[in-house]
Amino acid sequence: MNSIDSSNNTFDYVIVGAGAAGAILANRLSADPTVSVCLLEAGPRDWHPFLRIPAGFIKIISNKSFVWRITTEPSTYTAGRRVPLPQGRTLGGTTSINGMIYNRGQAADFDSWAAAGNPGWRYADVLPYFKRSEQSMIGDDKYHGRQGPMTVSTLKWIHPICEAFINGVANTGIRRNDDYNGATQEGVGYFQRTIKGRWRVSTAQAFLKPVRQRKNLEIRTNSQSTSLILEGKKAIGVRYIVKRDLDHPQEVFARREVIVCGGAINTPKLLQLSGIGPAPLLQSLGIPLQHALPGVGANLKDHFSIRIVARVKNSNTINELARGVGLFGQVLRWIAGRPSLLSVSPSLVAWFAKSDAQQVRPNLQGVFSPASYKEGYLGLLDGFPGMTVGVWDHQPRSTGFVHARSTDPLQDPIVQPNYLEHPDDRRVLLDGMRQARNLLRTPALAHFFVEETLPGADVTSDEALLEFASRYGVSACHICGTAKMGPASDPMAVVDHELKVHGIQGLRIVDASVMPTQPSANTCAATMMIAEKAADMILNRGTQANGFAKEMSGITTPVTQVAVSEHAVAIRAPSIMKG
C-alpha cells in the first residue's frame, strides 16, 4: 500500500480544486486503499451555516471568503457593464453556493460530443455515470440512480402562483413534464434540486464528508494552486500558496497524475501561468512557453439570461414571506422540518420548449419564481408582490475566452464571453423574451397578474428589447469549454477523450472546461457525471466492472432529441446559477 508520504509531500494523485468534480474524484480514487490522494482547495472549509441552508444562497453569493468574485470584461451587448461571475471558493466549490438545480441536459448534447471525435461520450455511455452519483425517488429507474451519494429531490413547498403558471404554460401546448431528466426534456414542471430535507447537498457534503477520515486522503484547504510543476513534457506536481501567502510557496508531488478541477475560469488560468497555452499570450505576459496549446482559454461558452418581472395581486409572494412576520413563520416551519421558504432553490419551476416550429428539439429553458428583485443582479427583493420569468440561449454561438491578466496568481483573469455577439444569439434571445412575457399573461395566471414592471409593456421593438437585455442581462454562471475535449487533429482541443492534456504526460483536466459544446442545461450535473466517468478512466475500469452494463439495455436516445439544434434559449430567474 502507498501511504501518504508527509516527509517529501508525494502522493499518487494530486487534485486541484474541491468542487463539483474534485470532491467526487477525491472520494472515488481514495476508495482504493492502495493509492494516496491529496486534494488542494483554495478556499476554506465549508463551515458557514448559509452554505447549508438553501435560502442562505442570497447571503453567501457575494461573500468573498467563499466566492471568487470574478467579473466579465465590458462588452457591447452588456452596455459596457462588467457582469458578475461568482464561483465557489470552498469545499464543494460552486455546488456550495449555486442555485441547487439538477439538470443534465439533452441526449443529443452528449451524442454530439461523441460525434465530434470523442468516443465513449454518447448519451448511452454517460447515463450510467449520471445515475451513479444520484440518490433520487424521481422518475423511471432507467434514467435515475437510487443509491448514489447526491440527493436529488422535488419541491415540497408548493405556491399557488407556481401551480397557476404551470397550468397556464400547459394550456399553451407545452405539456406538463415531471421529469425533464428522463426520457425527454420538453415540458413544464418543478425543478429537481440537490436538497435533502432542509439542507443543501454540495459535493463536499455528499462525497467528502463521509470519507474525510481515510488515511490515504489528505484535504488541504486555504491552498491556492499557482502553477503546475513540469519536468519536460510531464506534470509531476503542483506549486501552491497557503492563505494567499506568496512569499512562502509550497509544493506537492504526484507519482501518477496531477488532475486539475479548477473550473472553466481557473483551470485555463492555471495552465497559462504554468506555460501551457497560446504562445502569443504567454509571450505577452513574459511566461516561458512550456507547451503550446492554443485552445487553452478559448471556446468559452456561457448562458446569458434576462428576466421579465410582473406585479402580483391576490397572493403573498416570496417578497413578503421573506421579511417580518412572514419570515418568522417560515423559520419556524423550517425548524420543525415542514415545507418552508428556507428550503427551496431560488428558481422553482422549469419549462423547456421550442422557440419556433423549425426546431427539432427544445431550445428554450425557462425558470419561474413567485419572487422579484430590485434592479441589479441578485439585489434586494422588491417591496411589492412580484413574480419573475427569465430566458437565455441554450446553445449560444457567441464564443469568448479566458486569459491570465499577469503573472500574479492572485489577480483575476480576463474573462470575455462576448455575450450576444453572434446575430443568431440575439434573434433567439428575442424569441425567448417574447415567449416568456406571453407565459406571464396566460388566462390561468390572470388571477395573479397585475402588470409587467420589467421591462414594461411599452418595450416591444427588437431594438428596445435588446437594449433592455444589454442593460439588465446576467450570466447564468454556466461557463464551460475553455479546455475543450477533442482529438489531436483538432488544433483547438486541449484534452483527449480520456481527458488527458494533449502533449503533456501525467496531466488530466476534469471539470466543465472540457465540455466541447454547451449542454442544454445548467452545467453542475454534467460536471459531476464527467468526474464519475473520469474516475473509472483513471482507475482503468469500465462501467461493466461496476455493474452498469445491464442497466443500459434498451436505453436509446429519445427521438425528440436526436438532432443537434443550432440555436437554443433558456429561461431562469435572476438568482439561478450553475447547477
Side-chain angles (χ1 to χ4, degrees):
M1 171 178 175
N2 293 325
S3 61
I4 293 175
D5 188 344
S6 59
S7 62
N8 63 10
N9 255 345
T10 300
F11 301 79
D12 290 307
Y13 300 102
V14 176
I15 302 170
V16 176
I24 291 175
L25 279 174
N27 176 302
R28 300 309 193 192
L29 298 184
S30 66
D32 182 347
T34 67
V35 303
S36 57
V37 178
C38 179
L39 177 62
L40 300 175
E41 168 53 45
R45 61 185 182 85
D46 54 334
W47 61 267
H48 201 291
F50 285 154
L51 294 171
R52 297 296 322 284
I53 301 171
F57 165 90
I58 197 68
K59 297 291 186 181
I60 209 72
I61 193 63
S62 60
N63 188 325
K64 66 180 181 180
S65 296
F66 302 100
V67 177
W68 299 99
R69 297 193 297 183
I70 298 168
T71 63
T72 70
E73 296 300 298
S75 65
T76 300
Y77 291 101
T78 61
R81 296 178 297 127
R82 292 181 180 272
V83 176
L85 299 172
Q87 308 285 298
R89 185 176 171 272
T90 184
L91 294 178
T94 303
T95 69
S96 290
I97 69 162
N98 67 4
M100 295 158 282
I101 298 305
Y102 186 79
N103 184 6
R104 297 173 178 173
Q106 299 173 13
D109 298 331
F110 308 104
D111 289 345
S112 72
W113 292 6
N118 300 296
W121 291 92
R122 296 172 305 138
Y123 175 67
D125 299 320
V126 303
L127 179 58
Y129 294 107
F130 278 116
K131 295 174 67 175
R132 178 184 290 178
S133 292
E134 185 184 31
Q135 183 180 127
S136 172
M137 298 302 294
I138 301 165
D140 192 316
D141 286 354
K142 289 182 179 179
Y143 300 100
H144 292 280
R146 310 304 187 195
Q147 306 293 325
M150 177 62 72
T151 298
V152 177
S153 64
T154 54
L155 185 67
K156 300 295 189 292
W157 187 83
I158 304 300
H159 195 285
I161 295 180
C162 290
E163 285 291 299
F165 178 80
I166 291 172
N167 291 334
V169 174
N171 288 336
T172 69
I174 301 170
R175 70 181 183 87
R176 180 153 188 163
N177 181 2
D178 292 324
D179 184 13
Y180 56 82
N181 286 316
T184 184
Q185 189 186 67
E186 190 166 12
V188 60
Y190 289 106
F191 267 119
Q192 298 172 27
R193 313 93 39 80
T194 52
I195 296 175
K196 183 176 184 179
R198 295 178 293 168
W199 306 102
R200 170 197 290 272
V201 184
S202 67
T203 55
Q205 292 295 317
F207 290 89
L208 288 183
K209 186 177 180 180
V211 302
R212 282 179 179 173
Q213 302 308 312
R214 286 179 179 167
K215 296 184 184 301
N216 62 333
L217 172 63
E218 184 165 319
I219 302 171
R220 300 181 182 181
T221 54
N222 295 303
S223 299
Q224 181 175 340
S225 300
T226 58
S227 65
L228 304 174
I229 302 172
L230 301 176
E231 192 175 75
K233 297 291 185 178
K234 181 178 181 180
I236 62 170
V238 178
R239 191 168 291 110
Y240 67 98
I241 54 175
V242 178
K243 294 185 176 179
R244 302 173 73 85
D245 180 6
L246 285 171
D247 294 330
H248 300 90
Q250 310 289 316
E251 293 181 344
V252 61
F253 295 92
R255 295 187 189 92
R256 300 187 184 182
E257 289 190 15
V258 173
I259 308 166
V260 180
C261 307
I265 294 177
N266 283 320
T267 284
K269 173 190 169 184
L270 179 63
L271 266 64
Q272 290 166 7
L273 291 178
S274 305
I276 302 172
L281 171 66
L282 302 186
Q283 183 178 14
S284 71
L285 296 174
I287 298 173
L289 179 65
Q290 303 297 326
H291 184 61
L293 272 179
V296 174
N299 192 50
L300 185 153
K301 297 286 189 178
D302 191 20
H303 291 141
F304 184 68
S305 69
I306 189 65
R307 58 187 174 134
I308 311 295
V309 176
R311 187 185 294 267
V312 166
K313 63 183 178 181
N314 297 324
S315 180
N316 284 329
T317 65
I318 290 174
N319 296 9
E320 297 79 59
L321 295 173
R323 58 171 62 96
V325 175
L327 179 59
F328 181 71
Q330 293 297 315
V331 170
L332 291 179
R333 291 177 63 86
W334 183 82
I335 291 172
R338 299 174 64 190
S340 164
L341 177 61
L342 272 67
S343 58
V344 303
S345 53
S347 294
L348 308 184
V349 177
W351 58 267
F352 303 87
K354 299 167 185 173
S355 63
D356 58 65
Q358 277 65 53
Q359 303 301 318
V360 295
R361 61 178 175 128
N363 68 336
L364 300 175
Q365 175 184 326
V367 300
F368 174 83
S369 183
S372 65
Y373 297 82
K374 295 181 185 295
E375 293 181 5
Y377 182 66
L378 294 178
L380 298 173
L381 289 163
D382 281 322
F384 57 82
M387 56 184 172
T388 302
V389 66
V391 60
W392 71 71
D393 183 344
H394 244 350
Q395 294 284 344
R397 291 190 173 189
S398 301
T399 301
F401 59 85
V402 175
H403 289 168
R405 195 177 296 270
S406 71
T407 56
D408 181 358
L410 297 181
Q411 193 170 22
D412 289 342
I414 297 169
V415 184
Q416 179 54 277
N418 292 318
Y419 295 127
L420 303 182
E421 183 180 68
H422 197 287
D424 285 355
D425 293 351
R426 300 194 290 274
R427 179 186 60 78
V428 171
L429 187 62
L430 285 169
D431 290 343
M433 291 169 68
R434 289 194 166 97
Q435 188 168 150
R437 74 193 321 184
N438 287 340
L439 293 180
L440 287 176
R441 291 170 169 81
T442 64
L445 207 54
H447 178 70
F448 301 107
F449 180 87
V450 178
E451 62 178 345
E452 183 182 295
T453 62
L454 194 70
D458 58 330
V459 179
T460 57
S461 69
D462 287 359
E463 293 77 12
L465 284 169
L466 279 176
E467 182 182 3
F468 166 68
S470 298
R471 291 184 178 277
Y472 296 101
V474 299
S475 168
C477 295
H478 301 161
I479 304 154
C480 65
T482 51
K484 79 167 187 174
M485 174 171 50
S489 58
D490 181 350
M492 298 304 289
V494 176
V495 301
D496 65 13
H497 69 280
E498 293 186 330
L499 310 183
K500 297 176 180 178
V501 174
H502 287 297
I504 299 289
Q505 296 180 22
L507 181 60
R508 234 181 269 246
I509 298 175
V510 183
D511 57 31
S513 66
V514 306
M515 298 178 183
T517 58
Q518 188 126 30
S520 305
N522 314 57
T523 49
C524 183
T527 302
M528 291 191 289
M529 173 276 291
I530 289 169
E532 293 280 20
K533 182 171 171 61
D536 269 7
M537 292 189 292
I538 292 166
L539 295 173
N540 195 27
R541 65 190 186 195
T543 54
Q544 187 170 5
N546 291 276
F548 285 109
K550 291 183 179 179
E551 295 183 17
M552 294 311 299
S553 59
I555 299 293
T556 59
T557 301
V559 173
T560 57
Q561 298 185 17
V562 169
V564 180
S565 172
E566 294 185 352
H567 311 293
V569 171
I571 290 179
R572 90 188 249 285
S575 55
I576 202 78
M577 286 184 55
K578 178 173 159 189

